[in-house]
């Protein structure tokens, strides 16, 4: 499909989603959120895509919500009452950042965030459900919700404490202060910080490792297993799912190819696809949880 606020490109089995409103520092709009979710759908439905990179057109990653509507920026009721489409009592209204982040969390392909500049508000929460987060040395981060008189968006109250711990999450969230890529690395928000000119090369290197060396069904299952276990009450829950996963995968063509390619010292050519070969017991959680 045609996109107006993002770019979507596929090359070397890697899909790249680039937020593309540089005149507004890639500030987030409803349209951008819808287009990013559509691009994720496109990547998930394409078996040639093995990994996804999300970045922004220079000079920013995403500077947060577009504030051009002034005092109505966060007033969804006021915005939609103008055309009569919103009922303040409608339980179906959802935070748009949360919808995007749940979609990222539920993707079947690994997502790599390449934070190339300012990452603020929704720009800083959208990276939380991504699997690998990389940043340039000049990237800056902030969760300024309290400074804008609102609260967390993008399910950040669930994601951020799990990524960096509750103390750091509270420091960043309650002060709303801006912090550096170095602090983001020290706190575990990003896996690596590199010079700006090396960022996309680093992201593509990670994506190629996944695309060229790893079985797509294994990758899809492993990322879902790890994220789902963030809320598990006991390691036995992981043991049950892993046992089921190993038993099913061990009988599959990918496991045979994985062993033979290792023994024959060659690159693997995994035959199974995410669209056709996820195990029959997937999803193993209550399907109602995915009604987002």
């Amino acid at each position: 499909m045609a996109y107006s606020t993002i770019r979507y490109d596929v090359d070397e089995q890697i899909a790249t989603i680039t937020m593309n409103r540089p005149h507004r520092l890639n500030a987030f709009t409803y349209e951008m959120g819808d287009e990013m979710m559509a691009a994720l759908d496109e990547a998930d439905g394409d078996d040639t895509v093995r990994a996804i990179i999300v970045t922004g057109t220079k000079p920013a990653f995403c500077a947060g919500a577009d504030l051009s509507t002034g005092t109505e920026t966060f007033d969804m009721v006021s915005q939609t009452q103008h055309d009569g489409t919103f009922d303040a009592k409608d339980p179906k209204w959802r935070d748009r950042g949360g919808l995007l982040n749940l979609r990222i969390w539920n993707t079947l392909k690994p997502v790599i965030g390449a934070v190339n500049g300012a990452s603020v508000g929704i720009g800083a929460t959208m990276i939380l459900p991504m699997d690998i987060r990389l940043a340039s040395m000049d990237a800056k981060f902030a969760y300024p919700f309290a400074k804008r008189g609102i609260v967390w968006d993008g399910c950040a109250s669930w994601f951020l404490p799990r990524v960096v711990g509750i103390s750091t999450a509270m420091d960043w969230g309650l002060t709303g202060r801006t912090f550096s890529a170095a602090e983001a690395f020290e706190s575990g928000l990003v896996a690596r910080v590199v010079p700006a000119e090396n960022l996309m090369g680093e992201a593509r290197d990670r994506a190629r490792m996944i695309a060229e060396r790893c079985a797509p069904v294994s990758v899809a299952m492993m990322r879902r297993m790890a994220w789902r276990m963030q809320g598990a009450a006991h390691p036995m829950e992981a043991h049950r799912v892993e046992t089921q996963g190993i038993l099913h995968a061990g009988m599959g063509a990918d496991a045979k190819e994985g062993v033979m390619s290792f023994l024959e010292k060659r690159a693997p050519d995994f035959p199974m696809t995410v669209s056709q070969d996820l195990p029959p017991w997937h999803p193993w959680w209550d399907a109602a949880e995915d009604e987002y």
Side-chain angles (χ1 to χ4, degrees), residues 3 6-10 15-18 39-40 42-44 46 49:
Y3 298 106
I6 67 170
R7 295 198 311 272
Y8 179 81
D9 307 287
V10 178
T16 302
I17 299 171
T18 306
L40 291 164
E42 192 169 342
D44 262 356
D46 184 351
V49 171

Side-chain angles (χ1 to χ4, degrees), residues 17-286:
I17 299 171
T18 306
M19 291 173 281
N20 191 34
R21 301 183 72 229
H23 59 293
R24 299 291 300 173
L25 299 179
N26 303 321
F28 185 84
T29 63
Y30 288 173
E31 183 180 14
M32 179 183 283
D34 290 343
E35 290 190 353
M36 291 182 74
M37 287 189 282
L40 291 164
D41 290 344
E42 192 169 342
D44 262 356
D46 184 351
D47 281 329
T48 67
V49 171
R50 300 290 186 88
I52 302 166
I53 296 173
V54 177
T55 192
T57 300
K58 295 178 181 178
F61 179 74
C62 174
D66 190 328
L67 303 181
S68 61
T69 55
T71 58
E72 288 193 356
T73 297
F74 302 112
D75 189 347
M76 315 318 182
V77 177
S78 177
Q79 289 177 36
T80 53
Q81 277 179 340
H82 294 314
D83 58 15
T85 60
F86 188 85
D87 175 358
K89 298 178 181 178
D90 187 347
K92 294 183 290 187
W93 182 85
R94 309 288 286 276
D95 162 41
R96 293 299 183 92
L99 290 175
L100 172 61
N101 286 1
L102 286 169
R103 181 62 190 85
I104 294 170
W105 188 62
N106 274 303
T107 187
L108 292 166
K109 312 294 173 69
V111 182
I112 299 170
V115 183
N116 58 306
S119 177
V120 178
I122 179 59
T125 61
M126 75 167 66
I127 67 175
L128 299 176
M130 297 180 188
D131 303 295
I132 301 171
R133 295 173 295 276
L134 309 172
S136 65
M137 288 180 176
D138 52 4
K140 299 288 185 182
F141 302 82
Y143 298 95
F145 304 104
K147 294 170 70 174
R148 303 290 177 265
I150 57 172
V151 298
W152 301 108
D153 75 1
C155 311
S157 57
W158 189 92
F159 282 114
L160 190 59
R162 285 167 169 76
V163 172
V164 301
I166 190 66
S167 180
T168 298
M170 290 297 96
D171 175 15
W172 292 345
L174 301 186
T175 66
R177 65 183 178 85
T178 299
F179 56 96
S180 67
E183 184 174 346
F185 172 73
E186 291 166 0
S187 301
L189 180 62
V190 298
R192 191 173 183 194
V193 177
V194 299
E197 62 271 19
N198 297 341
L199 179 62
M200 284 306 293
E202 182 78 15
R204 290 192 67 83
D205 282 348
R206 300 291 179 93
R208 275 193 293 267
M209 289 181 191
I210 296 169
E212 296 173 1
R213 305 178 188 178
C214 300
V217 174
S218 296
V219 169
M221 291 298 295
M222 288 177 66
R223 71 174 303 279
R224 287 202 157 180
M225 291 160 75
W227 276 115
R228 290 279 168 180
M229 289 307 151
Q230 294 300 300
H234 193 283
M236 180 58 76
E237 294 183 43
H239 177 59
R240 291 191 184 106
V241 174
E242 289 170 9
T243 296
Q244 203 169 6
I246 285 287
L247 289 173
H248 186 270
M251 298 183 290
D254 277 357
K256 295 177 174 61
E257 172 61 11
V259 171
M260 291 308 298
S261 62
F262 173 78
L263 295 175
E264 296 171 359
K265 297 180 173 56
R266 58 173 174 80
D269 182 16
F270 295 109
M272 297 170 65
T273 64
V274 170
S275 66
Q276 301 294 324
D277 299 307
L278 290 174
W281 46 269
H282 173 277
W284 62 89
W285 58 89
D286 183 358

